[in-house]
Amino acid sequence: MPISTVPTLLNADAILTGLRALRERQPVKYWAFYSSQLGGIVTDPALMVIPFDDHMVHRGHGIFDTASIVNGRIYDLDAHLDRFIRSAERSNLVLPGSREQVRDIVIRTTALSGRRDGAIRYWLSSGPGSLELSPAAGAEPGFFVMIFAGLVYPDRWYTDGLKVMTTTLPIKPSLYAITKSTNYLPNVLMQMEAKQAGVDNGVFIDAAGHVGESSNMNVAFVTEDGVFRHPNFDHILSGCTSLRLLELAPQLVAQGLITGVEVCDIPVAEARAAREMMLIGSSIKVASIVEWDGEKIGDGRPGAIAKALLGLLEEDMRGGRERLIDVPYQ
Ligand SMILES: Cc1ncc(COP(=O)(O)O)c(C=O)c1O
């Protein structure tokens, strides 16, 4: 609604009408939403709301995580929940129930959505009650789960590869980078800066000149001598996808496709000389970067190792029994 509209006093019915009109103007693919504040699950996107005075909204005091639904199963939920709980502890936030209860709500919300493919994003907030900084007296933490279509990237990222730039924005200090909080301002600005510059995404570099990560993805390399090399996780988010690929990558050593697997500090100069560079994450999976700051990476075409890693990940997402949870759809 244009802000020039003369504001009038609204009753509850008018608010519902307004919320529905908002969603009609801008259709969304949200299938189900659980809110501990509402005490249940809603499927009408107009009702997927949280109070404006929840400190997650106005102070960014909240955390989140995202897992994938693949073919009617949830992939690697426990790794994502472990990270969620670590982020909660670092943010001085308390889960409103046990880990098992939270896990159960995620699974039940997925079941109720009926969706067999998509994404699950869940948040823990410090709760409503004031516009202060510290949680309000008596604030109850909020737990929310959204079942949505997931982030979708252009096909060309997989067929032709991506172009990235070194961001002009400073990397988050380590404590904030390793915590998946709702403070994504640097990440948002980096992505916007890249798009405005005509490339696909940005890369953070730390003060020591080591490669960090991208906006919502990790970055990894294949060195000239064939080593799959990933930045240390002490100054970037512990990507669940990267951690899993580091476990799976030795299969490529056995096949003679790579010569080793390393997690270490990666100076920018070394990184630029890589044979392959790639983005890794739950939403993008694995996609080659073919150009960085206007310079080709390797031969400027998507790399064989990125493709092989994507194959390993897709196999794991569909067949890796111990990491898949069958969703109890009705
Ligand atoms: C900043 C950042 N780095 C890396 C990742 C990749 O993590 P994951 O593989 O768990 O999706 C994400 C996505 O959650 C992210 O937001």
Side-chain angles (χ1 to χ4, degrees), residues 173-189:
S174 298
L175 172 65
Y176 307 119
I178 63 173
T179 305
K180 203 162 164 59
S181 87
T182 51
N183 290 275
Y184 259 49
L185 186 60
N187 313 55
V188 169
L189 292 178

Side-chain angles (χ1 to χ4, degrees), residues 21 55 59 69 81 151 153 245 251 314:
H55 288 213
R59 296 293 184 186
I69 312 166
L81 275 180
L151 305 186
Y153 300 114
L245 280 176
Q251 291 179 37
E314 284 181 334

Side-chain angles (χ1 to χ4, degrees), residues 104-178:
D104 193 50
I105 289 170
V106 169
I107 297 171
R108 281 174 194 272
T109 311
T110 309
L112 217 139
S113 78
R115 305 308 298 191
R116 301 189 63 83
D117 288 282
I120 312 166
R121 187 164 295 170
Y122 39 97
W123 295 260
L124 178 62
S125 78
S126 63
S130 80
L131 295 180
E132 304 272 348
L133 285 101
S134 298
E140 291 176 20
F143 179 61
F144 312 96
V145 183
M146 178 69 88
I147 311 300
F148 69 115
L151 305 186
V152 180
Y153 300 114
D155 285 345
R156 123 185 116 70
W157 285 15
Y158 301 93
T159 52
D160 305 349
L162 294 103
K163 295 178 181 176
V164 297
M165 64 178 277
T166 301
T167 183
T168 61
L169 294 146
I171 195 169
K172 288 178 187 173
S174 298
L175 172 65
Y176 307 119
I178 63 173

Side-chain angles (χ1 to χ4, degrees), residues 80 83 180 184 213 215-218 237 239-241 281-282:
H80 286 273
R83 186 172 67 187
K180 203 162 164 59
Y184 259 49
E213 61 187 334
S215 59
N216 56 333
M217 303 149 191
N218 289 111
L237 194 74
C240 296
T241 319
S282 306

